[in-house]
Amino acid sequence: MKHLDNDELENEADLKAHLSKVMNKPYKPKNKEEDAQLNVYEGYFAETEKIRANHWRIAELLNPTNPDVLLHQAELTEDVNKAKELYMLAISEAKKQFDDSYEIAWAFAENRPYLRALFTYGVWQFE
């Protein structure tokens, strides 16, 4: 998705042509926030716990208010009050980038941190 961020594509043919050029190229983050989010995703999909922990630590250092970083911290803490505080902060931070103009909110990738934060907090409350 980030390969499409700054491109003005006018039709489906332009989109397909552009995607064929960037499909297998790794995305290079443009700032520390993007780099943090990339490390979050790498952390989610890491094959070992050590690699996972490294990606999460890098993400936290790059952007300590990244919603996914906050969710991760909330999941790790055993202090119920601290967990709730982190969940609420994650929701608050993620809502800043939420775009409610989409009929299906999940279809817009930038909305997903907010939806993940709401969902994860709801599951935590349920449990």
Side-chain angles (χ1 to χ4, degrees), residues 81-109:
N81 293 324
K82 182 66 175 172
K84 183 173 184 176
E85 178 185 318
L86 289 164
Y87 281 121
M88 300 313 302
L89 185 55
I91 291 168
S92 174
E93 288 296 318
K95 189 173 184 180
K96 293 175 184 177
Q97 67 189 34
F98 185 75
D99 184 343
D100 66 0
S101 68
Y102 288 83
E103 186 174 334
I104 301 172
W106 188 260
F108 182 53

Side-chain angles (χ1 to χ4, degrees), residues 37-92:
Q37 192 64 48
L38 182 58
N39 273 280
V40 163
Y41 292 140
E42 293 292 334
Y44 279 130
F45 298 110
E47 293 185 20
T48 69
E49 190 56 43
K50 184 176 181 177
I51 294 171
R52 180 176 294 113
N54 285 341
H55 281 297
W56 281 107
R57 183 69 182 132
I58 291 167
E60 182 181 355
L61 290 170
L62 289 168
N63 186 5
T65 60
N66 174 291
D68 287 303
V69 167
L70 296 168
L71 291 176
H72 183 69
Q73 290 172 344
E75 291 170 8
L76 293 178
T77 188
E78 294 181 18
D79 180 333
V80 173
N81 293 324
K82 182 66 175 172
K84 183 173 184 176
E85 178 185 318
L86 289 164
Y87 281 121
M88 300 313 302
L89 185 55
I91 291 168
S92 174

